[in-house]
Amino acid sequence: MNIAMVSAHISPVASGSASHEGLRVHVAELARALGRQGHRVTVYTRRDGLGSGERVRLAPRVNVEFISAGNALPMSEQEVLPHIREFADKLAKRLADQGPDVIHAHHWLSGLAALSAADGLDIPIVQSFHGLASLQARAEGNTSPARLRMERAIGRGVAALIATTESESAELARLGVARPRIAAVPSGVDSEKFKPQGRALLPRSEAPRILMLSGHLAGHGVRTVIQALARIPDAELVLAGGPSPDELDGDQDVHRLRIAAKEAGVADRVTFLGRVEASDVPGLLRSADLTVSMPSYESFGRVPVESMACGTPVVVTAVGGHLDTVIDDVTGVYVKPGRPAELAHRIRGLLAEETHLAALGIGGADRVRARYSWERIANETVKVYESVRPAPEPAPEQATDESLEEFAVAS
């Protein structure tokens, strides 16, 4: 199958903004998995660097093509939006030339571009939102009204939608998308990279280690975890994410969190690592006794799944994608957002029961291997592609010798 992927504002070949790292990983790994299965994949993305070139090879049978739209600089989705028309016009020419069997748009900006570019080309579009504005608004109360309208229009305009969570599936139906057009296919994890076996990063003492890994340190429940630490004697908290290590001291979010740790009396037990390289994440996850993820809204939740893959149990808020990926008291435990006392109680209980903690780690690793391999995600995605492709026209009947003889006799 010839597949066109559209990732307008996030390039799969280089780390983008921290807030969309999960999207970058998803597009890149799904494209690679499809290529391994023999499909031909072209990912179209906006040029965000002067050295991007026209095309790069991501993997066998997988290429990334760059489209110039606006300045060749990294931009946020709000900054990219005014350039989507230019991106779509140039994308339309490439789609017409290459004639893919299906277009898979990732994120709402890509859906806008794909619908415009494919107008009149008779190519089916599959849309993955990777998080809906309406769900985020309900949990956090802040989103763009324009995005809300656009997501509803995109959902009704494409051939099929892939939701990464059951809550997203239900929300799409609430927005007016017919349920038969919605398929639930989660994101995946590289089980060769994220696995229990391997080196652990960072030397540690006998103190239990709690890890929190997040693209941004503002929000995401970091303050809740710091407050909970005051009720967990002797444990250490490692915070990874945010600015680069050499920019930590000048970062306002880090400054506020350090004050919060001091006020809670745990400043000597909190370590700020800053942004870590992707290659170091598995070792960092393996070094911890527990990984915590405390957002009030989560579209999928890549970090808990990667942690489970490494055999490290997770404590997560019972929201969004966490409800799909984590089975309460089997692969991890649920808590409610913004409740440090409850969080501390659950963590103390887990740290006091080493056997139960180990069982959660084994259960998590088993679940990821069984459900979240990229090969399985690719197989399920291809089924969606096949469902929207037009059925091939039947081949014209060939005249046989017998039919010719019958025709001659009848004549």
Side-chain angles (χ1 to χ4, degrees), residues 161-182:
L161 296 102
I162 293 178
T164 54
T165 66
E166 291 298 333
S167 61
E168 190 174 308
S169 294
E171 185 67 9
L172 286 169
R174 196 187 70 81
L175 293 177
V177 179
R179 283 195 176 272
R181 293 171 49 229
I182 305 170

Side-chain angles (χ1 to χ4, degrees), residues 223 226-227 230 256-267:
R223 190 178 294 269
I226 289 175
Q227 293 170 344
R256 284 190 285 268
L257 291 172
R258 282 174 170 165
I259 292 176
K262 185 176 181 179
E263 291 174 346
V266 296

Side-chain angles (χ1 to χ4, degrees), residues 111 186 313 331 372:
T331 67
Y372 297 103

Side-chain angles (χ1 to χ4, degrees), residues 288-301:
D289 295 287
L290 283 170
T291 300
V292 294
S293 181
M294 293 289 112
S296 56
Y297 165 74
E298 185 60 77
S299 58
F300 173 68

Side-chain angles (χ1 to χ4, degrees), residues 133-341:
S134 54
L135 288 174
Q136 185 174 358
R138 206 168 298 146
E140 300 177 348
N142 57 333
T143 193
S144 163
R147 179 180 167 185
L148 286 167
R149 293 193 300 271
M150 288 299 99
E151 288 182 346
R152 186 186 297 268
I154 293 166
R156 293 176 175 178
V158 298
L161 296 102
I162 293 178
T164 54
T165 66
E166 291 298 333
S167 61
E168 190 174 308
S169 294
E171 185 67 9
L172 286 169
R174 196 187 70 81
L175 293 177
V177 179
R179 283 195 176 272
R181 293 171 49 229
I182 305 170
V185 182
S187 192
V189 169
D190 184 347
S191 55
E192 290 300 313
K193 179 180 178 182
F194 293 92
K195 56 186 178 181
Q197 302 79 21
R199 70 181 183 93
L201 195 68
L202 293 183
R204 52 173 293 180
S205 65
E206 294 298 319
R209 173 173 290 177
I210 302 165
L211 173 66
M212 189 170 193
L213 177 61
S214 177
H216 294 290
L217 293 180
H220 298 275
V222 181
R223 190 178 294 269
T224 298
V225 180
I226 289 175
Q227 293 170 344
L229 189 66
R231 297 175 169 89
I232 311 171
D234 302 324
E236 66 167 337
L237 172 63
V238 175
L239 294 172
S244 61
D246 58 351
E247 296 175 337
L248 283 171
D249 290 341
D251 186 83
Q252 290 300 310
D253 292 326
V254 173
H255 177 67
R256 284 190 285 268
L257 291 172
R258 282 174 170 165
I259 292 176
K262 185 176 181 179
E263 291 174 346
V266 296
D268 60 332
R269 294 194 282 134
V270 178
T271 301
F272 291 85
L273 294 183
R275 185 171 59 248
V276 297
E277 295 295 327
S279 59
D280 289 331
V281 172
L284 184 60
L285 291 167
R286 283 191 287 263
S287 78
D289 295 287
L290 283 170
T291 300
V292 294
S293 181
M294 293 289 112
S296 56
Y297 165 74
E298 185 60 77
S299 58
F300 173 68
R302 178 165 301 281
V303 170
V305 183
E306 291 175 343
S307 181
M308 289 191 298
C310 291
T312 302
V314 297
V315 180
V316 301
T317 43
V319 298
H322 291 166
L323 295 171
D324 291 348
T325 58
V326 179
I327 302 175
D328 191 28
D329 216 31
V330 176
T331 67
V333 298
Y334 295 158
V335 295
K336 294 180 180 178
R339 298 194 179 185

